[in-house]
Amino acid sequence: ELIEHGYGRLDRIIERRAGLTDEQRAPNEQPLIVVAPSWGPNCLFESCGDDVIEALLATGAAVIARPHPMTRKHTPAAIDRLAERFAGDPSFSLEENVASQDSLQRADLMVSDWSGAALEFAFGTERPVLFIDVPRKVNNPGYEELGIEPFEATVREQIGKVVGPDSPEQIGAAVAELVGDRDRWIGSIRSAREANIYNVGRSGAVAADVIAEKADRYLQR
């Protein structure tokens, strides 16, 4: 049985966002970009992280690299290489505690690839995402037989922009557009969220009601 539920983690991000002051939600004087990709051989940090971060720093933004825990587990050299290369840049920092929401709430922009973190960021903070178009991370090689385009692919243009990994000039231009005209994306992000996610902000209550109703029926039997 499928229940029209929602996404509790997203609700927590939205709730945390609502508790911030106007000053805390305001754009940063120096734009802050969080780079939060997925993990695997074709993903951002494992394949082109150095060049992407260099292009982001060249825009004058502060950059926080937020690798997936599985990157540390499987390819730690990719993280260590970034830390060593950009250690002397005061605008660069490395954050491996992905349980914290602080950097997500403060960021003006996220840069990602095929990570679900991009959806949480966009739908939770209503700020756009710059997608680096590395090869798709495909866990089901036969997915095309279903005739269904994955949501992660169809939603990208609604919540941000997509650029190639080998186009540093496009990365810089996209950052300027997304950060400079952030308010324009709010409506598009909200529309995509409402069209695709059930019970935004109240999924826990909906699930609790369903469980309680089923428990009552079971006890009555």
Side-chain angles (χ1 to χ4, degrees), residues 4-53:
E4 295 178 355
H5 172 217
Y7 187 25
R9 176 172 169 80
L10 175 60
D11 290 346
R12 290 194 297 273
I13 295 173
I14 293 172
E15 183 180 17
R16 171 79 178 276
R17 186 86 185 157
L20 299 179
T21 65
D22 290 342
E23 183 178 357
Q24 289 172 321
R25 285 194 293 264
N28 295 286
E29 184 174 344
Q30 179 188 22
L32 175 60
I33 301 174
V34 171
V35 186
S38 188
W39 65 279
N42 292 322
C43 292
L44 196 154
F45 284 148
E46 289 85 344
S47 63
C48 58
D50 297 42
D51 294 338
V52 169
I53 289 179

Side-chain angles (χ1 to χ4, degrees), residues 96-110:
E96 296 195 58
N97 177 18
V98 297
S100 172
Q101 286 190 28
D102 291 346
S103 61
L104 300 183
Q105 294 289 354
R106 292 188 294 115
D108 298 288
L109 176 71
M110 177 176 281

